[in-house]
Amino acid sequence: MSVTIKSQHEIELMREAGKILAIVHDEMGKIIRPGISTMDINRKGEEVIRSYDCIPSFLNYRGYPASICVSVNDEVVHGIPSKKRILQEGDIVSLDAGVIYQGYQSDAARTHAVGEISQEDQRLIDVTRQSFFEGIRYAKSGNHLYEISKAIQNFVEANGYSVVRDLVGHGIGKEMHEEPQIPNFKPIGRGMKLQAGMTLAIEPMVNAGTFEVWVLEDDWTVVTRDSKKSAHYENTVLITEGEPELLSYREDFL
Ligand code: MF3
Ligand code: CO
């Protein structure tokens, strides 16, 4: 399937999906503390999603067994929630969630501190979030896709961290994963020209050490090869003629 340009009506639905997803993240963020399980977060996320008449897009996606991806410390993405995995003071936890509202999708991720964390881990979270905002400075009609990728990579590497190469952002709409793929590093070339009406999930995954990752025996959980920590930040973004519109973001939240 090729890149889709959304109509005004589709954009309205994606705005609504994004607003709800921002609330889902805010509500999950409020329960994060030492002693809760990663399954508690999944339960809260799914409850809020369903309370807004949305469908959790991750549940059963290619066999994924939960509604929220909960990835702790050296887990990069796709951590499977478990009632046995208890968050400890000093952990960092990445939450990735997706909703479908009236057939349209939104996808977003945030990394949270569990209790008091080290300054270095807080810096990893902050640089990851900021790299998204550095990237979307280039997310406007007429620019080329890899300008976003390059800005993310440059910012992350200037701060001494690395961007994951094996996983990328993506177009989004009726499907969670549409074209184009959006690397967080600069490939050869410029990438496609951006056009108003494109909706993109831009999602830097940033490792404190090596960019190399592998997948655990559960076939889902992606972890860093060197066991150093990783953070994730993602929003669904609408390309316009001017500034990009952040569909899954509210300034009073994270
Ligand atoms: N949010 C992820 C992405 O951006 C998808 C999660 S994988 C799933 O691609 F299986 F959990 F859905
Ligand atoms: Co995504």
Side-chain angles (χ1 to χ4, degrees):
M1 203 183 65
S2 55
V3 178
T4 54
I5 301 297
K6 275 72 182 181
S7 68
Q8 268 318 310
H9 176 65
E10 291 179 296
I11 290 169
E12 276 310 319
L13 295 176
M14 290 190 69
R15 277 196 185 110
E16 194 56 31
K19 267 187 209 159
I20 293 165
L21 185 53
I23 295 168
V24 171
H25 270 293
D26 190 51
E27 292 295 325
M28 291 193 297
K30 286 181 191 163
I31 70 164
I32 305 285
R33 57 177 172 75
I36 68 162
S37 74
T38 57
M39 185 59 88
D40 292 330
I41 300 170
N42 179 74
R43 201 177 301 116
K44 168 58 83 178
E46 179 161 349
E47 174 192 309
V48 179
I49 290 169
R50 295 203 189 277
S51 76
Y52 285 94
D53 289 324
C54 288
I55 297 167
S57 54
F58 297 179
L59 186 61
N60 300 322
Y61 179 84
R62 299 189 182 186
Y64 186 75
S67 295
I68 312 295
C69 294
V70 185
S71 307
V72 184
N73 294 338
D74 64 325
E75 297 171 358
V76 178
V77 286
H78 305 168
I80 298 175
S82 159
K83 56 185 194 306
K84 291 188 200 141
R85 185 76 193 260
I86 307 298
L87 297 180
Q88 314 277 337
E89 179 103 24
D91 286 344
I92 65 171
V93 62
S94 298
L95 307 183
D96 192 350
V99 304
I100 309 172
Y101 175 75
Q102 294 187 14
Y104 283 86
Q105 305 243 355
S106 197
D107 185 5
R110 307 282 185 261
T111 301
H112 296 271
V114 181
E116 285 276 310
I117 62 170
S118 70
Q119 270 187 13
E120 184 51 23
D121 290 348
Q122 187 60 53
R123 194 174 76 87
L124 175 65
I125 293 173
D126 295 344
V127 166
T128 304
R129 181 178 185 279
Q130 188 59 32
S131 74
F132 165 87
F133 286 96
E134 296 296 326
I136 62 159
R137 291 168 58 188
Y138 298 89
K140 61 173 78 158
S141 175
N143 283 0
H144 287 86
L145 183 64
Y146 297 163
E147 293 177 65
I148 301 173
S149 308
K150 181 178 161 190
I152 291 171
Q153 178 176 29
N154 285 349
F155 183 78
V156 167
E157 292 180 355
N159 280 283
Y161 298 139
S162 65
V163 289
V164 173
R165 314 286 168 108
D166 292 352
L167 297 143
V168 296
H170 48 95
I172 181 167
K174 275 182 187 292
E175 305 294 331
M176 173 158 58
H177 294 134
E178 298 186 356
E179 283 183 34
Q181 293 197 7
I182 310 172
N184 298 300
F185 57 92
K186 188 175 152 336
I188 291 169
R190 299 194 293 180
M192 70 167 55
K193 212 174 194 182
L194 300 175
Q195 275 181 59
M198 288 180 178
T199 43
L200 307 175
I202 298 171
E203 50 177 319
M205 287 149 271
V206 176
N207 292 352
T210 179
F211 65 80
E212 289 187 287
V213 298
W214 58 30
V215 179
L216 298 185
E217 283 293 302
D218 63 15
D219 281 339
W220 278 106
T221 313
V222 177
V223 298
T224 58
R225 285 222 183 195
D226 60 8
S227 300
K228 292 190 179 174
K229 289 189 172 93
S230 185
H232 188 195
Y233 190 85
E234 174 182 28
N235 281 305
T236 301
V237 176
L238 170 68
I239 303 298
T240 74
E241 299 293 344
E243 293 304 307
E245 186 178 328
L246 302 186
L247 301 180
S248 55
Y249 175 81
R250 277 181 46 170
E251 230 154 272
D252 47 336
F253 299 164
L254 261 183

